[in-house]
């Protein structure tokens, strides 16, 4: 991803609304933000994309507001799903009162390979994300 050459600041504890939508919220971390933006252009679902920016502190207020708006949430990260940040985000959404559909997509539970071709097969792909969104949109 492009990085500005000049000095810049990132707000700590303030999530960023990357794309507005009405059907499903994708909470995307790190590189998955760019993948989510690509996915949004390949589906008819109106996707809202939120980048938490920081995970500690986590801007649960913004994440919950987006989740409540769409009623469906996909948490997308390269980190492993089991015992990872996606589980913490899910727990905080539920504790904040969200009761809609939530799914998580993350990396496979194994060490990430040093080979780029293998690494990319270990994290969520566009096809896997689209299939998950399609399934979530069909669920009542």
């Amino acid at each position: 991803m492009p990085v500005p050459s000049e000095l810049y600041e990132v707000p700590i504890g303030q999530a960023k609304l990357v794309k507005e939508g009405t059907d499903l919220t994708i909470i995307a971390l790190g590189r998955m933000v760019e993948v989510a933006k690509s996915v949004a252009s390949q589906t008819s679902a109106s996707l809202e994309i939120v980048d938490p920016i920081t995970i500690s502190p986590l801007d649960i207020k913004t994440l919950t507001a987006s989740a409540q708006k769409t009623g469906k949430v996909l948490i997308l990260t390269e980190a492993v799903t089991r015992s990872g940040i996606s589980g913490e985000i899910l727990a905080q959404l539920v504790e904040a009162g969200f009761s809609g559909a939530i799914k998580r997509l993350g990396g496979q539970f194994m060490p990430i390979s040093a080979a780029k071709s293998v690494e990319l097969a270990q994290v969520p792909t566009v096809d896997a994300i689209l299939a998950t969104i399609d399934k979530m949109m069909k669920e009542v």
Side-chain angles (χ1 to χ4, degrees), residues 12 17 27 40 45 51 57 59 68 95 114 118 122 124 132 139:
I12 303 297
L17 180 61
I27 297 171
D51 180 354
D59 181 3
Q68 297 287 20
E95 289 171 352
V118 178
Q122 293 174 284
T132 301
E139 294 173 352

Side-chain angles (χ1 to χ4, degrees), residues 5 7 12 17 24 28 33 41 51 70 77 86 92 97 101 130 136:
S5 57
L7 206 52
I12 303 297
L17 180 61
L24 183 141
V33 173
S41 69
D51 180 354
T70 65
T77 176
S86 64
Q92 287 195 34
L130 286 167
M136 290 182 77

Side-chain angles (χ1 to χ4, degrees), residues 33-115:
V33 173
E34 294 303 313
V35 175
K37 286 167 39 177
S38 174
V39 164
S41 69
Q42 299 179 46
T43 181
S44 60
S46 176
L47 302 179
E48 180 143 304
I49 302 171
V50 183
D51 180 354
I53 305 289
T54 59
I55 57 174
S56 182
L58 182 65
D59 181 3
I60 196 63
K61 187 175 183 178
T62 299
L63 302 182
T64 303
S66 179
Q68 297 287 20
K69 173 183 166 185
T70 65
K72 296 179 191 303
V73 175
L74 175 59
I75 303 167
L76 187 57
T77 176
E78 290 182 292
V80 295
T81 304
R82 189 167 100 192
S83 302
I85 187 60
S86 64
E88 179 61 27
I89 293 171
L90 186 151
Q92 287 195 34
L93 285 171
V94 170
E95 289 171 352
F98 180 68
S99 61
I102 304 178
K103 299 262 187 220
R104 299 179 294 156
L105 280 181
Q108 297 177 31
F109 192 71
M110 60 188 347
I112 296 295
S113 173

Side-chain angles (χ1 to χ4, degrees), residues 1 18-19 26 28 31 33 39-40 42 65 74 86 93 96 107 109 116-117 135 140:
M1 294 176 22
V18 175
K19 179 185 176 304
I26 294 181
R31 188 181 73 83
V33 173
V39 164
Q42 299 179 46
L74 175 59
S86 64
L93 285 171
F109 192 71
K116 195 61 149 178
S117 60
K135 183 177 178 183
V140 176

